[in-house]
Amino acid sequence: MDMSIEEFIANEVKSNDVVLFMKGTPQFPQCGFSGQVVQILDHLGVGYKGLNVLESAELRNGIKTFSNWPTIPQLYVKGEFVGGCDIVREMFQAGELQQLLSEKGVAVAA
């Protein structure tokens, strides 16, 4: 039996500490906003799973419904929706993203 897209997303979010739903891959982001979030996560040395929404219209639409958030990328930490590019960037600049990651027990290099 196939999982529904909601079950797939919920499972990915639960089974990985940090998940980025993005356009493209962490190695080859295919939109500037996804690229910015990748740069921030890489800068912090955070291990994360990138899921390419361009490979599946079902995933692309499903994640927007799942989070009730209209845009990609979307960052999840320990099952909790953090936000999109602007939110992640603002949190990073304010030191809040680093704080959130450490509170959630996610290892950062920096």
Side-chain angles (χ1 to χ4, degrees):
M1 162 179 143
D2 285 339
M3 279 193 283
S4 71
I5 194 69
E6 285 80 16
E7 287 169 326
F8 171 79
I9 292 167
N11 186 54
E12 289 293 332
V13 166
K14 279 188 204 111
S15 53
N16 298 283
D17 283 353
V18 183
V19 184
L20 180 62
F21 292 88
M22 61 180 292
K23 293 180 180 173
T25 64
Q27 295 74 30
F28 298 103
Q30 288 178 270
C31 92
F33 300 115
S34 292
Q36 280 182 33
V37 177
V38 163
Q39 277 183 320
I40 288 169
L41 293 174
D42 287 350
H43 175 78
L44 293 175
V46 175
Y48 64 96
K49 179 163 186 182
L51 288 166
N52 184 0
V53 302
L54 297 178
E55 289 177 349
S56 158
E58 197 184 9
L59 179 60
R60 190 164 62 243
N61 297 322
I63 191 61
K64 294 174 184 180
T65 307
F66 184 83
S67 60
N68 202 20
W69 188 261
T71 55
I72 310 288
Q74 295 186 14
L75 182 67
Y76 287 79
V77 175
K78 293 276 185 168
E80 184 183 310
F81 176 54
V82 176
C85 178
D86 291 348
I87 292 169
V88 170
R89 192 177 58 233
E90 284 161 21
M91 287 178 70
F92 170 68
Q93 286 165 347
E96 290 166 11
L97 183 62
Q98 296 86 321
Q99 192 181 344
L100 172 76
L101 290 163
S102 93
E103 280 169 9
K104 298 272 189 187
V106 175
V108 292

